[in-house]
Amino acid sequence: MRGRDEELRTLRGLLADAAAGHGGALLVHGAAGVGKSALLRTVGAEAAESGFKVLRTSGVEPEQWLPFAALQMLLQPVARGMKDLSDPHRSALSAAFSASDTEPEIYRVGLPVLELLADEASLRPLLLLVDDLQWIDSSSRDVLKFVARRTHDLAIQVIAGARVQYSESYGHLDLPLLPLSRPAAAELLDAGAPDLPPSLRALILERAAGNPLALVELPKAVQGMTAQLDDLPLTQRLEDAFSARTDSVSRECRTLLLVLAAEPAAPLNLLLDLASRLTGSAVSVDAVQEAVDADLVTLVGFTAEFRHPLMRTAIYNHATLADRLATHRALAAVMEGTPERRLAHEAAATIGPDEELAARLERFADASQAAGRAAAAVPALRQAADLVLDAQRRTGILVRAAELSSEINHSISVQALLDRMDMSVLDPVDRARLMVVSDSSAFEPGEPERRIEDMVTAAAGAFDAGARDVAENLLWRASARCFFQDGDAQVRSRTAAELDRWSPDPNAPHVLAVRAYAEPYRHGADVIARLGGIGADHQDGRILHFLGSGAMVTGDASRAVQYLAAAAAAWRSQGRLGLLARSLAAAWPQVYLGRLERAREECAEGLALAEETGEWIVWLGLKATAGLVAALRGETEQATRTTGELRTHGLFLQMPFVTVMAQQTDGLLALFEGRATEAYDVLSRAFDPADPHYHSVSRWLLAPDLADAAVAAGTVRQARDLLAGLPELAGRLPSEMMVVAHAYTDAVLAPDDTAEERYAAALTALPAAWTLSRARLRLHHGRWLRRQRRNVDARNPLRLARAEFDRVGARPWAEMAREQLRATGESSGRRHANTGDQLSAQEMQIAVLASRGLSNREIGQRLFISHRTVGAHLYRIYPRLGITGRGKLAAALAALQDEQATSGL
């Protein structure tokens, strides 16, 4: 390896960390021929020498049809360990690797793969090398991503190589592989071709541009190519160099190479048999040896492999059209056992439209989709689209392929399919289906009102064409944008009016969600009333999510938490990780119910899952909630850092439901630090319709904070003006959020002559579950009593406030309550940090679940991590809690709660 010292140092460091039990994942990406495969081979050899077990797999374009093909290759050396897995895990892997069974959900494969590898890594460290990631089948890709993100407490290092930098991370590290420096390039060229004439050496150095493959291969075929070196792109130069080398080999060898190029996974006996049929004479292993001697292929056991993917492309493209078609026909004839490969070769052997074959490809896609094998259905539909003449039908097939690609989170495939479509021939149903795909896979944040209008129009067209399911899905997405992007009154009204046009069942969960999202002030009272009377199936996550999200966006926090927790349980049991992340958005209403620890845990889990599954709108909401929770817990640096990360995200300013939350966090931080005027200015901006932090509904969650800041800054009159419309809106939308906003601000901003009765009325009006707001109101009541020189009367509400703040972990307010108590003449010691504060959100989750009697494997299955990772966490948790084992966890956690409730009294 020349010129890769820095990269090798990085990789060796990762191996050392993995050997110590701190694994990770790295994506090496760069152009074709830049040396990714060579780098992976080198680090693999070094790892094996140092005691690692090395597992390898690589992507091959034709195998994208075969779900879990790359994964099966990777796990072959450790397959014996499957016998030690639990029955469900063993069954899931068997189903994944069986062509006849229904393809299981990704997590149902990912978790047993993780357990299998974790058990193997407990014996000796593992290195997983994954080359040509861009061609890995999507099922294997998703399982590998699942595993890669869960190796930090295991002796497992994942290193993947790809030609592109994937937007979805395979870990936390990324290594771009750049061309070699000029000195390293010259050293490599001279090592392989020391006798080049100076002028030709200089030309190759210039045209290779530091690409190692070019530096090695171009000198081998330089005769007769010097003129072309000036004109051709680098990849074409290399392909020409490779194909030129086939001119000197025998016809039998060229035929064998073409068969291998058309079917790279073909075993050696099949290669020889087909080459013999095509040439009409026996082709022996001598032809294989000839290809090896020409430095075009290598032998791995009894399988021939091209030394580089560009060689395969070059040989295939260099062959005549007639030879390529004959090869594919011959391959199709012997692929009876693998129908997907037979169809692929039949399609490749077809010139021009073939409606019958297109229909067979669509039927294959139907069967694959029915069996849950979308990964196989997508390439079949791509092939079918190429074989139909009618533009509208072709685009319809591509729309379906895009839908399936979106379902399996293959954003690159979705975009490629979108680029092939003729939008001018879309019928109303396909237009609506396509808008659903683009909304879920390639969210376009700009011009929200125009986008919402387009979505509503498309939904109307689909409904009128009889595709009610498509129409309902799209209209729900349009209404969600009305909330997330705070659409104006016109698009909100248009969305709700379109739903009304359909004469829907008013109790249908999706109807309640659309009305809550679109026009909460018009429909909110009715939605809230109906939500209370619906008995939902707790196994139907979709229905539960509709109900929970409808409650959440209207501000009915208690019901939102109830429904979304049930939805999360349903999605968790099914392993639907992206949907689970959405339901963990219940962390937001948890905050206002005073459940800060629960909110912290749900944010941490939800953020990891949202990042893993590409749910970036969910990520924004959870990130904003995490910042708010950190602020309320007194973790100022964490809150500032989290909100800073949030504000730098590309979607931030396009999502008012998030900007208003970020503004709340910044305002509270200023208020807690005594910067009252700044706090009021920050919070008041959320009530200005011209400000990017304004949200027409969620702003009312900030009303109590605004009142607090107004009292501290002396801007009570201005605050009353800003909140003047609150009573009327609270009457139209009688949710918990609006009741709290109205009652709290009415008391805190009241003149002294009516304050006493208003505090009493507000404490009565507050919803029982909003304990944090009740404690805040008692704190303000105590302050007001102190200002009235009623110190003795002030003590009881201040004590109650302090106890509640300590219980929920709201340290800044707890300290304020203590200061006020001391000012009344009552001693109130400073709360001491307890050992529970040292546990991360995930560690607290694990400790709680273990205290309830769940085994490490049960906890791992619940949290989608390895049981060995659970064990590693518990090993760190015990000494922090001052205990020695699992049996004492329940008592230790109970003691923590008592400590929080009584500290400082």
Side-chain angles (χ1 to χ4, degrees):
M1 292 297 295
R2 290 175 169 81
R4 299 299 186 201
D5 294 345
E6 188 62 37
E7 290 86 351
L8 285 170
R9 270 193 294 272
T10 297
L11 296 174
R12 287 164 183 156
L14 293 177
L15 291 180
D17 289 342
H22 307 296
L26 175 77
L27 176 65
V28 181
H29 57 91
V34 79
K36 301 181 295 297
S37 299
L39 191 63
L40 265 59
R41 283 195 300 271
T42 300
V43 75
E46 291 188 8
E49 288 177 6
S50 65
F52 276 75
K53 187 176 188 69
V54 181
L55 308 181
R56 293 179 171 85
T57 193
S58 59
V60 180
E61 281 180 278
E63 290 194 353
Q64 293 180 86
W65 286 67
L66 305 176
F68 301 112
L71 183 67
Q72 190 168 15
M73 180 190 299
L74 180 79
L75 297 181
Q76 280 177 353
V78 295
R80 67 186 184 283
M82 286 176 59
K83 68 181 187 303
D84 299 321
L85 296 175
S86 65
D87 288 343
H89 282 174
R90 193 166 55 251
S91 297
L93 284 184
S94 297
F97 299 148
S98 169
S100 59
D101 290 331
T102 297
E103 183 178 334
E105 293 285 346
I106 290 299
Y107 111 97
R108 294 188 186 279
V109 180
L111 200 53
V113 168
L114 180 64
E115 294 287 35
L116 176 66
L117 295 174
D119 287 345
E120 193 72 31
S122 69
L123 304 176
R124 59 169 168 161
L126 284 182
L127 173 62
L128 276 56
L129 295 177
V130 183
D131 205 0
D132 285 321
L133 186 64
Q134 73 277 358
W135 290 328
I136 294 282
D137 64 273
S138 61
S139 301
S140 295
R141 179 204 67 193
D142 288 343
V143 170
L144 289 168
K145 185 169 68 169
F146 179 95
V147 169
R149 298 179 67 85
R150 290 163 175 80
T151 58
H152 52 277
D153 284 307
L154 303 170
I156 301 174
Q157 180 62 47
V158 182
I159 302 177
R163 292 188 184 180
V164 294
Q165 181 178 10
Y166 280 76
S167 57
E168 65 265 33
S169 173
Y170 280 75
H172 299 291
L173 294 176
D174 186 87
L175 180 64
L177 203 59
L178 302 176
L180 294 175
S181 66
R182 181 80 177 194
E187 184 181 349
L188 178 60
L189 179 61
D190 292 342
D195 300 322
L196 285 175
S199 59
L200 188 56
R201 176 182 181 275
L203 183 60
I204 291 176
L205 275 176
E206 179 184 351
R207 297 302 183 227
N211 183 286
L213 185 65
L215 290 163
V216 169
E217 299 297 338
L218 288 180
K220 297 177 184 178
V222 75
Q223 290 82 9
M225 286 188 59
T226 51
Q228 295 179 21
L229 286 178
D230 281 322
D231 304 321
L232 297 176
L234 177 59
T235 301
Q236 186 62 54
R237 287 184 217 127
L238 284 168
E239 288 190 11
D240 282 358
F242 295 142
S243 59
R245 278 165 39 200
T246 65
D247 292 338
S248 59
V249 299
S250 67
R251 175 170 172 263
E252 290 77 12
C253 181
R254 280 199 303 276
T255 303
L256 182 139
L257 288 169
L258 178 56
V259 175
L260 181 62
E263 184 58 47
L268 198 56
N269 62 328
L270 180 61
L271 285 176
L272 294 172
D273 179 53
L274 286 176
S276 299
R277 292 189 197 184
L278 289 165
T279 58
S281 59
V283 176
S284 69
V285 292
D286 292 340
V288 180
Q289 186 61 51
E290 194 177 354
V292 172
D293 292 342
D295 220 12
L296 290 168
V297 302
T298 59
L299 284 177
V300 180
F302 292 102
T303 302
E305 294 182 359
F306 286 106
R307 288 187 55 251
H308 193 277
L310 283 179
M311 293 181 180
R312 171 179 172 261
T313 306
I315 288 166
Y316 186 85
N317 291 337
H318 189 60
T320 66
L321 176 61
D323 285 344
R324 290 202 299 265
L325 295 176
T327 300
H328 285 296
R329 283 194 293 270
L331 282 163
V334 298
M335 292 284 177
E336 290 297 328
T338 51
E340 64 277 3
R341 299 300 306 126
R342 177 169 55 82
L343 280 169
H345 286 298
E346 284 186 283
T350 302
I351 302 178
D354 187 327
E355 295 290 342
E356 187 274 333
L357 180 55
R360 280 199 287 131
L361 285 162
E362 286 190 88
R363 288 196 295 273
F364 172 81
D366 291 339
S368 297
Q369 186 178 0
R373 294 179 174 265
V378 170
L381 291 170
R382 281 201 304 258
Q383 293 269 25
D386 289 335
L387 298 173
V388 298
L389 194 57
D390 181 73
Q392 187 169 355
R393 186 178 167 216
R394 182 189 313 118
T395 296
I397 294 171
L398 292 172
V399 169
R400 183 180 169 198
E403 285 177 322
L404 292 175
S405 293
S406 178
E407 285 181 19
I408 60 177
N409 295 317
H410 201 328
S411 56
I412 294 175
S413 175
V414 170
Q415 191 55 56
L417 290 162
L418 292 175
D419 291 342
R420 289 181 59 189
M421 292 180 197
D422 182 352
M423 303 298 179
S424 67
V425 300
L426 286 171
D427 64 27
V429 176
D430 281 343
R431 186 175 301 280
R433 291 166 60 199
L434 195 58
M435 291 200 83
V436 170
V437 170
S438 62
D439 190 68
S440 60
S441 297
F443 187 88
E444 298 175 12
E447 299 184 63
E449 279 74 24
R450 179 196 60 78
R451 179 70 176 181
I452 294 169
E453 283 276 5
D454 290 347
M455 294 170 79
V456 173
T457 299
F463 180 84
D464 292 339
R468 185 167 190 135
D469 287 349
V470 176
E472 288 176 350
N473 190 357
L474 186 55
L475 193 67
W476 168 69
R477 291 176 177 277
S479 70
R481 281 180 178 253
C482 287
F483 173 75
F484 294 134
Q485 297 190 279
D486 201 21
D488 63 24
Q490 182 176 338
V491 297
R492 285 176 176 272
S493 176
R494 170 81 196 286
T495 303
E498 181 57 35
L499 180 65
D500 292 341
R501 188 175 74 88
W502 302 351
S503 300
D505 175 1
N507 288 316
H510 80 275
V511 171
L512 294 175
V514 169
R515 286 177 170 161
Y517 276 131
E519 288 195 314
Y521 295 121
R522 177 185 168 200
H523 293 289
D526 181 64
V527 167
I528 291 167
R530 292 180 186 277
L531 283 172
I534 293 179
D537 178 1
H538 277 218
Q539 298 303 311
D540 192 333
R542 182 172 177 269
I543 296 299
L544 292 164
H545 187 81
F546 279 140
L547 297 172
S549 61
M552 183 170 69
V553 300
T554 55
D556 220 36
S558 301
R559 201 165 280 133
V561 165
Q562 172 191 343
Y563 281 127
L564 290 174
W571 297 136
R572 192 183 296 281
S573 68
Q574 298 168 31
R576 307 289 293 277
L577 303 190
L579 295 172
L580 174 58
R582 294 185 191 183
S583 292
L584 289 172
W588 185 27
Q590 296 276 18
V591 173
Y592 300 98
L593 300 181
R595 303 170 187 173
L596 299 187
E597 184 58 46
R598 179 73 176 272
R600 183 173 77 112
E601 293 170 8
E602 291 186 353
C603 278
E605 183 181 10
L607 280 168
L609 294 176
E611 185 174 329
E612 181 174 351
T613 56
E615 292 281 353
W616 293 111
I617 296 176
V618 175
W619 184 91
L620 288 167
L622 287 165
K623 194 74 167 176
T625 304
L628 179 59
V629 170
L632 296 182
R633 285 167 52 88
E635 299 162 348
T636 302
E637 291 184 7
Q638 178 67 29
T640 302
R641 181 168 59 252
T642 301
T643 306
E645 292 169 359
L646 177 70
R647 289 184 178 277
T648 60
H649 194 281
L651 287 175
F652 175 76
L653 288 176
Q654 304 290 335
M655 294 291 163
F657 92 103
V658 172
T659 63
V660 70
M661 295 166 69
Q663 203 73 348
Q664 182 177 23
T665 301
D666 289 346
L668 285 170
L669 288 174
L671 189 61
F672 292 156
E673 293 171 3
R675 295 177 277 120
T677 301
E678 179 184 341
Y680 182 82
D681 290 343
V682 168
L683 292 165
S684 64
R685 288 173 58 190
F687 292 82
D688 178 2
D691 193 276
H693 301 90
Y694 172 87
H695 191 282
S696 60
V697 181
S698 298
R699 60 184 159 139
W700 299 117
L701 289 168
L702 281 63
D705 311 320
L706 181 78
D708 288 1
V711 171
T715 54
V716 170
R717 182 175 298 175
Q718 294 94 312
R720 288 176 185 155
D721 291 341
L722 276 181
L723 302 175
L726 175 55
E728 189 263 337
L729 291 176
R732 293 164 55 188
L733 176 59
S735 67
E736 291 176 337
M737 170 185 71
M738 300 301 283
V739 169
V740 169
H742 186 204
Y744 190 100
T745 58
D746 187 60
V748 171
L749 300 178
D752 287 343
D753 58 347
T754 62
E756 186 73 73
E757 61 189 69
R758 294 195 186 186
Y759 276 114
L763 287 167
T764 301
L766 289 182
W770 287 59
T771 57
L772 189 56
S773 296
R774 187 176 301 278
R776 292 177 62 182
L777 195 56
R778 284 184 168 134
L779 171 59
H780 262 286
H781 188 202
R783 278 176 166 161
W784 180 81
L785 289 168
R786 275 200 57 243
R787 289 199 302 271
Q788 305 307 308
R789 302 183 184 281
R790 296 165 58 184
N791 284 348
V792 174
D793 293 337
R795 289 172 185 167
N796 187 55
L798 290 173
R799 288 187 200 115
L800 291 172
R802 177 195 59 191
E804 182 62 19
F805 291 141
D806 280 343
R807 187 187 70 81
V808 304
R811 295 176 198 138
W813 279 317
E815 289 306 312
M816 291 180 190
R818 283 185 170 77
E819 290 173 10
Q820 292 296 313
L821 273 170
R822 284 193 290 269
T824 68
E826 179 173 307
S827 175
S828 183
R830 185 174 297 277
R831 176 184 180 273
H832 299 291
N834 60 58
T835 51
D837 294 334
Q838 302 173 26
L839 300 184
S840 70
Q842 187 178 64
E843 286 170 340
M844 184 61 80
Q845 266 186 308
I846 289 171
V848 169
L849 293 172
S851 74
R852 295 175 183 168
L854 274 70
S855 69
N856 286 7
R857 289 189 184 276
E858 290 170 331
I859 295 170
Q861 289 171 9
R862 178 179 172 82
L863 300 181
F864 308 105
I865 57 178
S866 165
H867 73 282
R868 295 186 182 277
T869 296
V870 174
H873 277 301
L874 287 171
Y875 182 78
R876 293 191 291 266
I877 288 168
Y878 295 150
R880 294 182 196 171
L881 296 181
I883 60 176
T884 56
R886 193 186 210 96
K888 299 180 180 180
L889 265 175
L893 293 175
L896 279 180
Q897 291 182 338
D898 292 342
E899 181 183 345
Q900 290 174 341
T902 60
S903 62
L905 295 181

